[in-house]
Amino acid sequence: MHEASEPDTGRLARRLTAHAVLAHHPAVPDIAADYWEMSRDHYRAVDGRLADAVAGSPDAGAAYRAVLADPDDAALHHLLAERLERLLAERPHDRERLAGAVAGADPHIWIDYHLGGGPGDAYGTGPVAPDGAAEGSGGDRQPGVRGLPEAHVVIPFRDREGGTRTRNLLACLRALADQSGGAAHRVTLVEADSEPRTRALVDGLVDDYVFAYKDGLFNKAWAVNVGAVAHAGAPALCVLDADILVDRSFVHRNVARLYDGGHAAHLPFTWSLSLDEESTLRAIGLRNGEGRAGVPTTCLRGLLLREPPGGCVWTRTETFHEIGGFDERYEGWGGEDDDMVARLSAAAPLIRYDDPLLHLNHTRPAMTRDGVPFNAHLEPMSWSAGMGYGDVAKFRDQKS
């Protein structure tokens, strides 16, 4: 998502700014602890060289220290990039040394930082549709084109506070209702909770609402399986998190890929852009409020996760059922997506595309219990269809 067309010095200045933010922003370790562990030494190596380079420059040094003091301020990020660009132009030796540090670090980082726009237009306008997203009329879902099978989109969900998760769900559903290209799709929402909280809110936005009783820890894996079993007739299946905002040609593009590409499953993204709150509101406003076909990443800001296993997975329905869906022993945060993608890959060809994946902001869930990942005790890839899956009544006997 970085602008390859920028002058080399300008692009390098932005990459150095990104590394400074990644090394010091407190949200970076929290977004994905394992990705942080793999990346932090690379951030710190670049940041250390950057600190040395700006030490002798009052302007660049002041901008660098300002970013460290307030790493969440986008205006300060733009100011640092501006001043670094001037500094690098004046100091070819430092430019060469820092370019080498960035080139050595970037292939090894798993969390990156995306800063949209420029200093005077931090969230400027640009082409509205992302790459591969066709412009077209919105509105109701369209009947399928002959030869292109129906898609079933399953969304697992829980929000006991009725907060940002519910806001994101409604944005996700409205974007799914605004699809073009002629690929028919059915949306099933599975609310796995102790009581149905969103039924009235989603009326008219989903084809199927399923309440699946489950108290205690959220079980995404089981909720997905319940939805997939509830409507197993569509040949194409999409497992979509409720916090993903899709463009207008999302369904048509991915169903066509699934049946033209000769593969059984795919993830339509390489990097997932986790938007900050300001960018989240902007993205929802453009996509749903203004009815845009898509949201340009040039107007957004957030952390990029490299090749995450979840968020949006497309698969042929028969392949999903052959492997028994998700492993329902996973509860709480973490591991179920990794396991599912690993088992899909073992069963049939799975590939990735490079669409933008916009992840709307929400409060982060607990990742561990007593310092230990929730599902550390489970053996990956040990689930099979013979173990039974998708029983909506599985946890009803837990009711008091």
Side-chain angles (χ1 to χ4, degrees):
M1 291 188 184
H2 307 298
E3 297 295 330
S5 60
E6 289 184 75
D8 289 348
T9 302
R11 186 175 189 278
L12 176 58
R14 289 172 67 86
R15 291 304 300 141
L16 291 167
T17 300
H19 275 277
V21 173
L22 291 163
H24 295 281
H25 200 302
V28 181
D30 292 339
I31 195 169
D34 52 346
Y35 280 18
W36 166 254
E37 292 292 331
M38 293 188 289
S39 307
R40 63 180 178 183
D41 290 344
H42 301 286
Y43 306 144
R44 291 170 178 173
V46 174
D47 182 61
R49 293 200 174 202
L50 175 60
D52 291 340
V54 302
S57 169
D59 286 348
Y64 172 74
R65 291 189 294 274
V67 167
L68 268 56
D70 188 2
D72 200 41
D73 189 326
L76 296 178
H77 303 168
H78 287 296
L79 178 62
L80 176 58
E82 270 188 352
R83 293 184 176 177
L84 284 176
E85 185 173 3
R86 290 202 298 266
L87 181 68
L88 295 171
E90 296 167 357
R91 299 183 183 177
H93 176 72
D94 282 341
R95 182 173 67 239
E96 183 177 346
R97 184 169 59 89
L98 290 168
V102 169
D106 278 354
H108 305 290
I109 64 174
W110 289 82
I111 308 171
D112 208 340
Y113 175 64
H114 177 74
L115 176 63
D121 182 22
Y123 300 100
T125 58
V128 174
D131 292 343
E135 292 281 359
S137 61
D140 296 336
R141 289 187 285 274
Q142 304 295 315
V145 173
R146 182 165 47 176
L148 199 59
E150 183 187 28
H152 182 206
V153 182
V154 175
I155 302 174
F157 185 70
R158 175 189 282 184
D159 181 9
R160 290 182 166 175
E161 288 74 40
T164 54
R165 290 275 192 176
T166 298
R167 173 201 66 188
N168 295 352
L169 170 68
L170 295 175
C172 171
L173 293 176
R174 287 170 182 141
L176 282 170
D178 176 31
Q179 292 292 301
S180 65
H185 65 290
R186 186 178 193 89
V187 178
T188 297
L189 177 69
V190 180
E191 185 169 22
D193 205 340
S194 56
E195 62 181 87
R197 304 173 197 272
T198 62
R199 185 195 301 269
L201 293 174
V202 302
D203 185 41
L205 291 173
V206 299
D207 297 287
D208 305 288
Y209 169 88
V210 179
F211 171 66
Y213 179 86
K214 173 68 171 72
D215 207 352
L217 292 173
F218 180 58
N219 190 319
K220 170 188 170 177
W222 168 70
V224 170
N225 290 349
V226 167
V229 169
H231 179 71
L237 175 66
C238 173
V239 178
L240 186 67
D241 283 1
D243 303 298
I244 304 301
L245 188 69
V246 303
D247 64 86
R248 187 173 289 156
S249 67
F250 169 76
V251 172
H252 180 271
R253 182 172 66 251
N254 284 291
V255 173
R257 283 169 168 168
L258 196 60
Y259 285 87
D260 291 344
H263 57 277
H266 71 256
L267 287 79
F269 61 95
T270 300
W271 291 88
S272 170
L273 179 55
S274 294
L275 303 175
D276 63 13
E277 183 64 13
E278 185 178 1
S279 291
T280 291
L281 295 176
R282 180 171 296 105
I284 293 173
L286 288 171
R287 180 71 178 97
N288 295 154
E290 297 185 16
R292 304 288 189 94
V295 182
T297 58
T298 53
C299 74
L300 303 173
R301 180 168 67 120
L303 294 174
L304 288 157
L305 296 183
R306 176 181 173 184
E307 298 182 5
C312 177
V313 179
W314 283 86
T315 180
R316 297 179 188 236
T317 302
E318 61 182 358
T319 305
F320 180 92
H321 291 293
E322 283 172 5
I323 67 171
F326 279 74
D327 184 340
E328 296 181 3
R329 298 169 296 179
Y330 284 85
E331 290 200 321
W333 187 91
E336 71 284 344
D337 292 319
D338 302 83
D339 177 79
M340 179 62 173
V341 169
R343 287 186 295 113
L344 277 174
S345 298
L350 181 147
I351 63 175
R352 278 187 186 266
Y353 293 95
D354 198 25
D355 296 349
L357 187 78
L358 304 184
H359 182 276
L360 303 175
N361 185 51
H362 60 80
T363 54
R364 305 301 301 175
M367 300 182 186
T368 61
R369 181 165 43 196
D370 299 326
V372 179
F374 283 113
N375 300 301
H377 61 289
L378 293 175
E379 180 184 353
M381 299 186 69
S382 59
W383 182 261
S384 68
M387 300 171 79
Y389 63 99
D391 178 7
V392 71
K394 182 173 184 174
F395 297 103
R396 284 181 186 167
D397 61 0
Q398 295 179 353
K399 289 185 179 182
S400 57

